[in-house]
Amino acid sequence: MAGKPKLHYTKGRGKMESIRWLLAAAGVEFEEEFIEKKEDLEKLRSDGVLLFQQVPMVEIDGMRMVQTRAILSYIAGKYNLYGKDLKERAWIDMYVEGTTDLMGMIMYLPFQPADTKEKNLALIIERATTRYFPVYEKALKDHGQDYLVGNKLSWADVHLLEAILMAEECKPDILSAFPLLQAFKGRISNIPTIKKFLQPGSQRKPPTDEKFVAVVRKIFNI
């Protein structure tokens, strides 16, 4: 299991996308083994490599890691994206949990019944602009630095940029009332490793479409 981390997941965003983002931001090359049909998932389960019978699963440093949060924490710690002390780590955790909540709402939108999608999309936009983005706008203003925590790039920044871009796919001008977040988006997007990940042809996955929803439903029996 030495060498590049190997990611086991479907050929779409889902819970693995934040892991791809964080590895890419850290400048770490990774391989992907895609679960394309139900049998692929069943094989991983029968081989006993999934601790709780679930993916995402990442092979890294001789471990087969599961649970998205555990994987992300490990990568953040390993690549110096997790603050300099416990207090900074606590702030990073709080910011990450907030963006995770928002991204979760967006992630599940394509899987919801057509008749509730419009209502849920409106809720996402309302939550983003009244609950989540004001927090980050204020944090940047109060902190007066280019990054959310300390004065260097952390997991919190990478996660927030991912959330911003997902929210903009829901509503392109969603940052219109947040000038500091607009500037933040420009800064973080131009960090060389992240800029590379945002280019066409990278391992970043496209937004979830109906075709992919059908594949996921089949693999996971949902």
Side-chain angles (χ1 to χ4, degrees):
M1 282 194 281
K4 295 177 186 175
K6 186 186 274 190
L7 282 49
H8 296 262
Y9 201 66
T10 55
K11 209 171 189 172
R13 287 185 182 175
K15 291 188 172 184
M16 186 64 92
E17 191 70 357
S18 292
I19 296 165
R20 295 183 186 110
W21 264 88
L22 199 57
L23 285 168
V28 180
E29 290 186 10
F30 57 88
E31 297 171 351
E32 299 192 79
E33 195 158 300
F34 294 116
I35 296 165
E36 301 190 70
K37 50 190 189 297
K38 197 176 172 182
E39 290 75 15
D40 298 337
L41 179 62
E42 289 306 324
K43 185 176 187 317
L44 285 173
R45 286 174 171 163
S46 62
D47 287 349
V49 299
L50 301 178
L51 194 62
F52 299 109
Q53 308 293 309
Q54 294 169 310
V55 288
M57 188 268 277
V58 175
E59 295 183 58
I60 185 170
D61 295 342
M63 296 184 288
R64 291 189 176 107
M65 290 196 74
V66 296
Q67 296 297 337
T68 311
R69 171 80 207 201
I71 297 165
L72 286 163
S73 298
Y74 182 80
I75 294 165
K78 180 177 168 77
Y79 295 106
N80 202 21
L81 293 166
Y82 213 173
K84 69 177 190 300
D85 55 30
L86 271 176
K87 277 192 176 176
E88 284 197 357
R89 189 166 287 201
W91 277 105
I92 289 166
D93 284 340
M94 284 192 281
Y95 290 145
V96 163
E97 290 298 323
T99 40
T100 299
D101 290 345
L102 176 60
M103 288 195 285
M105 293 172 73
I106 300 170
M107 196 188 302
Y108 292 117
L109 188 65
F111 293 87
Q112 289 165 353
D115 57 347
T116 65
K117 267 189 191 166
E118 206 170 308
K119 191 177 96 179
N120 286 311
L121 178 61
L123 180 63
I124 287 166
I125 292 162
E126 190 263 329
R127 287 275 167 87
T129 53
T130 64
R131 179 178 293 187
Y132 296 107
F133 289 165
V135 169
Y136 302 110
E137 183 80 4
K138 185 176 185 301
L140 290 165
K141 183 170 187 263
D142 293 349
H143 189 39
Q145 306 285 3
D146 286 349
Y147 306 104
L148 284 171
V149 179
N151 192 22
K152 67 187 292 264
L153 183 72
S154 76
W155 173 20
D157 301 304
V158 178
H159 218 53
L160 177 55
L161 178 61
E162 183 188 359
I164 286 170
L165 297 182
M166 286 174 76
E168 286 184 333
E169 288 168 356
C170 296
K171 187 176 189 286
D173 66 346
I174 200 162
L175 286 187
S176 59
F178 304 101
L180 296 180
L181 279 180
Q182 290 174 42
F184 171 89
K185 175 192 158 190
R187 276 196 309 276
I188 307 300
S189 296
N190 275 302
I191 291 169
T193 51
I194 293 174
K195 191 173 184 177
K196 186 180 173 189
F197 188 62
L198 292 172
Q199 300 301 312
S202 80
Q203 286 165 293
R204 187 182 179 214
K205 301 298 179 269
T208 300
D209 59 15
E210 285 181 22
K211 191 178 167 189
F212 182 66
V213 167
V215 169
V216 169
R217 288 192 190 283
K218 221 170 182 177
I219 293 170
F220 296 100
N221 275 339
I222 51 175

